[in-house]
Amino acid sequence: MQETTAARLGRRPAWLIDSADFWRLWFVGLVVFGVRWVETVAVGVFVYQQTASPFTVAMMTMLRMLPMGLFGAFIGAFADRMDRRATLIIVAAGTVLTSLALATLAHLHLLTVWHLALASFLNGVGWATDNPVRRVMIGDVVGAARMGTAMSLEVGANNASRMFGPTLGGLLLAGVGIEGVFTLSVALYAVALLAAFRVRYRNSFPSSTTEPVLARIAEGIRLVRNDRRLTGTLTVTVIYNVFGWPFTSMVPVIGQDRLLLGPEGIGILASMDGIGAFAGAVLMAMLCRPAFYRHAYVGGVLLYMVMLTVFALVPSPAVAGFALLFTGFGGAGFSIMQATLVYLSSPPEMRSRMLGVLSVCIGVGPVGFIALGWLADAIGAPWATAATGLTGLLMMLLARPLWRAI
């Protein structure tokens, strides 16, 4: 007797998602993540060599996150009215043009720090669309039941790029110069643009609505206030992005000044975070079930804070790399569950708005980058980084009544 489709699907591994559109959207994310990590180390080292200021290095990453806080809620409110595929194509085309401008300036030896600052902000605008546009598309394509698996594969792509991106960025900067970094960015973004064109997904959206954008945003905020699961999830997101994530901007500074590494060594060091995160994402895709989502989310943040503190204080490159391995492992649990928990806790008609609110919570990260950069200039990058990690642990303890409701 011929097997039914349901029976065949039931025996497939959990990580095998049979959707061409999912894999196209996944590939776009892989490229965006990869370019971001190639550029993070290369730009960080380049800016530090030009300015000798940890604060300025931190500002490059801060500017990439700032649009999430400024525009995330508005993008989320507009997203249900947009053709998401068209929006994705426009964003991908914008990244190609931005990297092309930087590559041209670099080849002409005209590239300056302010060019990088402007490009970071423009790329950040594109990044602010990712949750309410591309990740909502992923959820719609795979269905709510497979959102956790899809996010594991999504974060796995991010973390695979973190394994190779920083090393590649350091090698390109040392061997070719900053112009080689942005030339690679142009080529990779162009391939992502082609993948976006091939997406067949189309969302239904109203051609017109009388509900004002601010009213839609207010409705989303009311939902968060009245749902303790969402309140706890977003509180943890804020803590991570203010006290945890900003430490990544100090890896080039600590690597150069405390650990005495060159661009290649800094790239390899930064890649350790990605190796741990990739391993964590693979394990999550294979093993994690909904009953453990909260534990992966909260436990991941706690491990991340402890290990970034260890990284900041140890004098050995080997031990520092080992600590980064575990920041990646903890960060994987957090990153996978962040969008998953918000998506699953939100009514279908509110998901774009809720992921827009999530983008705003991620977008408060610039507060942490500014504080860390200022503190690093005042007391040194290692002690400033350790202080933020310990403060993050304290904030997680104080927020325990909120995240227990997740």
Side-chain angles (χ1 to χ4, degrees):
M1 182 182 293
Q2 191 173 16
E3 289 183 303
T4 65
T5 301
R8 290 196 303 271
L9 289 174
R11 290 206 306 270
R12 288 180 176 174
W15 54 266
L16 182 57
I17 295 178
D18 186 16
S19 168
D21 269 351
F22 165 76
W23 291 108
R24 292 180 184 115
L25 293 166
W26 176 89
F27 179 77
V28 172
L30 173 65
V31 170
V32 172
F33 298 144
V35 172
R36 186 182 305 154
W37 287 109
V38 168
E39 292 181 354
T40 294
V41 168
V43 169
V45 173
F46 177 85
V47 170
Y48 192 57
Q49 289 173 344
Q50 296 293 312
T51 66
S53 169
F55 180 81
T56 306
V57 174
M59 290 308 96
M60 292 300 108
T61 309
M62 182 278 290
L63 286 169
R64 195 182 286 259
M65 295 185 68
L66 184 61
M68 282 197 178
L70 295 177
F71 311 127
F74 293 94
I75 292 172
F78 274 115
D80 289 331
R81 310 181 188 184
M82 301 176 186
D83 181 336
R84 295 194 186 101
R85 175 180 175 273
T87 304
L88 183 66
I89 290 171
I90 291 169
V91 170
T95 58
V96 173
L97 294 176
T98 300
S99 291
L100 181 61
L102 292 175
T104 302
L105 289 168
H107 279 288
L108 295 174
H109 304 289
L110 298 174
L111 187 66
T112 64
V113 172
W114 80 262
H115 292 133
L116 296 172
L118 177 61
S120 294
F121 184 82
L122 292 176
N123 284 333
V125 174
W127 192 10
T129 70
D130 198 54
N131 278 318
V133 176
R134 191 179 63 86
R135 285 188 167 177
V136 170
M137 292 170 73
I138 286 175
D140 290 348
V141 165
V142 304
R146 286 210 152 184
M147 186 60 172
T149 300
M151 284 298 103
S152 295
L153 294 169
E154 166 86 352
V155 173
N158 182 1
N159 296 319
S161 69
R162 288 167 69 181
M163 293 184 347
F164 306 109
T167 300
L168 181 58
L171 291 173
L172 282 172
L173 184 63
V176 183
I178 196 71
E179 59 269 26
V181 173
F182 290 117
T183 299
L184 176 65
S185 297
V186 173
L188 291 175
Y189 278 140
V191 176
L193 177 60
L194 292 176
F197 269 110
R198 294 192 63 197
V199 172
R200 296 191 300 266
Y201 164 93
R202 299 291 191 278
N203 60 293
S204 59
F205 55 95
S207 58
S208 62
T209 179
T210 58
E211 187 179 14
V213 171
L214 291 179
R216 292 167 65 82
I217 293 173
E219 184 181 4
I221 293 172
R222 282 195 299 272
L223 177 60
V224 172
R225 190 173 64 238
N226 295 327
D227 190 318
R228 289 181 60 82
R229 297 170 303 168
L230 286 170
T231 302
T233 301
L234 295 175
T235 298
V236 173
T237 290
V238 170
I239 292 172
Y240 174 88
N241 282 284
V242 172
F243 300 104
W245 179 249
F247 105 94
T248 58
S249 66
M250 291 295 107
V251 172
V253 178
I254 293 173
Q256 181 169 313
D257 286 356
R258 183 178 179 84
L259 303 176
L260 305 179
L261 300 174
E264 304 97 323
I266 293 171
I268 294 171
L269 180 69
S271 295
M272 297 303 293
D273 182 53
I275 294 171
F278 180 74
V282 171
L283 286 175
M284 289 283 291
M286 294 190 300
L287 303 176
C288 194
R289 298 295 178 264
F292 299 103
Y293 282 1
R294 182 187 75 171
H295 304 288
Y297 186 59
V298 175
V301 174
L302 294 173
L303 178 62
Y304 192 93
M305 297 293 182
V306 170
M307 287 297 117
L308 78 86
T309 305
V310 173
F311 163 76
L313 297 178
V314 297
S316 164
V319 179
F322 190 74
L324 287 179
L325 195 71
F326 280 94
T327 63
F329 197 85
F334 166 81
S335 300
I336 291 166
M337 291 300 108
Q338 179 178 234
T340 301
L341 289 169
V342 173
Y343 186 91
L344 295 179
S345 299
S346 305
E349 71 277 7
M350 296 284 287
R351 282 170 177 162
S352 285
R353 270 174 278 183
M354 286 301 97
L355 285 166
V357 173
L358 173 62
S359 292
V360 173
C361 293
I362 296 171
V364 303
V367 175
F369 281 94
I370 292 171
L372 178 58
W374 172 80
L375 197 59
D377 274 350
I379 66 174
W383 290 109
T385 301
T388 60
L390 293 172
T391 305
L393 286 170
L394 176 61
M395 296 304 296
M396 285 295 291
L397 178 62
L398 295 175
R400 185 171 182 266
L402 295 176
W403 52 253
R404 285 189 67 188
I406 298 174

